[in-house]
């Protein structure tokens, strides 16, 4: 069968603006990334490896959410006796549900919560760390090495980059509604058989910036101040990461304001509004998913969509017959599969 390739510049009538714009000053490394498309909207030394301190706990939470039962009681063992730094002050043999431990992990950055989670999910922390590194490879964190579940770096050290931590932030935020709920919680209370707890979120951006939707802070003398946050405004969901930044909260707010002032989210392809001239192709064609992308006002004028049909006959109902290629100037942003719906 002959293969035909047709090119057609589509009239994109579905550029519906949803919102976009950023500059970091004091951070050694920084990045702002659109969580939905993965587009990097600002970066500074994004691939430079650094100690990451307690933002490590985002990966600890990710493994716990994937492998653990949130309603199961985890028992604190001897591992908590070696912990120092920030803590939720668990007692030896105290039992707490995994869900509550995750609040203590993210809100209060409990190092004891981290090792209790690790030792209950896996047979020991070493095995848990293997899961952390496996997950890092799976989601494309190419310059990351975890050695512990908490982020303390006097005995063992965790290294990553701003870009890798943005990938992790986006992955965990999009996949787990429980993480989204926990990381934006400002205050949480829990009762065990031993005592009551009241925790306040250490992520100060939740109180100072109204569009912040969560995140995790970190600090050690060697790593400096590290911070991962998420924010949403007019449909544009961003994550910002700064490493070794003495003024991290101010940096994050300025970065978000810059990006939201510069970019907007545009729906470039709408699965519900795709119209092709019947003289060009007689049968109905469709896409399964819409495609949106953050763009500046200037970039919006340089978006091109190309229809490529590689199978013009002999196809079955709902089979793929080509694709729509979305480009910004000469750079291909997305290839969206194109399907056919035959007339009855």
């Amino acid at each position: 069968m002959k293969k035909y390739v047709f090119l057609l510049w589509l009239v994109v009538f579905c550029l519906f603006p949803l919102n976009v714009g950023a500059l970091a000053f004091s951070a050694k490394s920084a990045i702002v990334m659109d969580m939905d498309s993965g587009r990097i909207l600002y970066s500074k030394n994004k691939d430079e490896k650094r100690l990451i301190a307690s933002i490590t706990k985002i990966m600890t939470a990710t493994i716990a959410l994937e492998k653990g039962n949130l309603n199961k009681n985890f028992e604190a063992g001897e591992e908590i006796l070696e912990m120092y730094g920030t803590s939720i002050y668990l007692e030896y043999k105290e039992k707490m549900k995994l869900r509550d431990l995750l609040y203590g992990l993210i809100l209060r950055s409990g190092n004891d919560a981290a090792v209790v989670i690790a030792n209950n999910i896996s047979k020991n922390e070493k095995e848990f760390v293997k899961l952390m590194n496996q997950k890092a490879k799976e989601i494309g964190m190419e310059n990351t090495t975890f050695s512990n579940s908490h982020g303390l770096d006097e005995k063992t050290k965790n290294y990553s980059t701003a870009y890798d931590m943005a990938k992790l932030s986006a992955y965990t935020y999009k996949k787990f509604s429980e993480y989204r709920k926990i990381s934006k919680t400002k205050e949480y209370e829990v009762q065990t058989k031993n005592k009551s707890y009241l925790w306040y979120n250490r992520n100060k951006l939740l109180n100072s910036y109204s569009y912040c939707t969560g995140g995790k802070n970190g600090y050690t003398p060697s790593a400096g101040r590290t911070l991962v946050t998420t924010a949403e405004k007019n449909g544009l969901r961003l994550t910002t990461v700064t490493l070794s930044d003495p003024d991290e909260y101010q940096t994050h707010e300025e970065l978000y304001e810059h990006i939201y002032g510069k970019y907007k989210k545009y729906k470039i392809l709408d699965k519900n509004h795709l119209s092709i001239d019947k003289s060009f192709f007689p049968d109905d064609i469709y896409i399964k998913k819409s495609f949106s992308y953050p763009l500046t006002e200037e970039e919006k004028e340089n978006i091109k969509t190309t229809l490529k049909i590689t199978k013009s006959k002999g196809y079955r109902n709902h089979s793929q017959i080509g694709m729509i290629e979305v480009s910004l100037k000469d750079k291909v942003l997305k290839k969206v599969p194109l399907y056919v719906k035959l007339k009855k």
Side-chain angles (χ1 to χ4, degrees), residues 101-162:
L101 283 169
L102 286 171
Y103 277 92
L105 181 80
I106 300 299
L107 271 64
R108 296 307 300 165
S109 200
N111 295 322
D112 51 353
V115 291
V116 169
I117 289 170
N119 280 274
N120 279 268
I121 293 288
S122 300
K123 63 181 179 181
N124 54 49
E125 189 183 21
K126 184 177 180 181
E127 292 302 309
F128 186 84
V129 169
K130 286 182 181 179
L131 296 177
M132 296 171 71
N133 284 311
Q134 287 171 8
K135 178 56 64 175
K137 287 183 179 179
E138 179 186 317
I139 62 180
M141 299 174 70
E142 298 177 354
N143 296 298
T144 297
T145 305
F146 291 107
S147 298
N148 62 59
S149 61
H150 42 74
L152 294 172
D153 49 34
E154 291 185 2
K155 294 181 180 179
T156 56
K157 304 179 189 299
N158 296 336
Y159 288 97
S160 189
T161 66

Side-chain angles (χ1 to χ4, degrees), residues 74-232:
F74 282 12
E75 184 174 276
E78 293 183 353
E79 66 272 3
I80 67 169
L81 304 179
E82 298 181 4
M83 285 297 97
Y84 57 94
T86 54
S87 175
I88 60 172
Y89 302 105
L90 291 165
E91 296 176 4
Y92 179 59
K93 294 291 185 180
E94 183 175 5
K95 293 181 180 179
M96 183 178 285
K97 287 183 179 180
L98 174 56
R99 176 180 285 103
D100 298 327
L101 283 169
L102 286 171
Y103 277 92
L105 181 80
I106 300 299
L107 271 64
R108 296 307 300 165
S109 200
N111 295 322
D112 51 353
V115 291
V116 169
I117 289 170
N119 280 274
N120 279 268
I121 293 288
S122 300
K123 63 181 179 181
N124 54 49
E125 189 183 21
K126 184 177 180 181
E127 292 302 309
F128 186 84
V129 169
K130 286 182 181 179
L131 296 177
M132 296 171 71
N133 284 311
Q134 287 171 8
K135 178 56 64 175
K137 287 183 179 179
E138 179 186 317
I139 62 180
M141 299 174 70
E142 298 177 354
N143 296 298
T144 297
T145 305
F146 291 107
S147 298
N148 62 59
S149 61
H150 42 74
L152 294 172
D153 49 34
E154 291 185 2
K155 294 181 180 179
T156 56
K157 304 179 189 299
N158 296 336
Y159 288 97
S160 189
T161 66
Y163 189 21
D164 279 3
M165 291 307 297
K167 291 177 182 178
L168 174 61
S169 176
Y171 173 85
T172 307
Y173 187 89
K174 290 191 295 181
K175 185 170 183 179
F176 300 106
S177 60
E178 194 70 26
Y179 175 78
R180 296 194 295 273
K181 180 181 176 182
I182 292 170
S183 67
K184 72 177 181 181
T185 297
K186 296 180 180 180
E187 177 183 329
Y188 190 74
E189 188 172 1
V190 63
Q191 175 78 48
T192 68
K193 289 183 178 180
N194 294 55
K195 56 182 181 290
S196 346
Y197 294 85
L198 177 60
W199 298 319
Y200 295 95
N201 202 318
R202 296 167 65 93
N203 175 11
K204 297 177 182 178
L205 202 68
L206 283 170
N207 294 316
S208 64
Y209 187 61
S210 61
Y211 299 108
C212 180
T213 57
K216 179 75 189 75
N217 68 321
Y219 171 78
T220 67
S222 298
R225 298 186 180 280
T226 61
L227 183 62
V228 177
T229 62
T230 56
E232 181 173 352

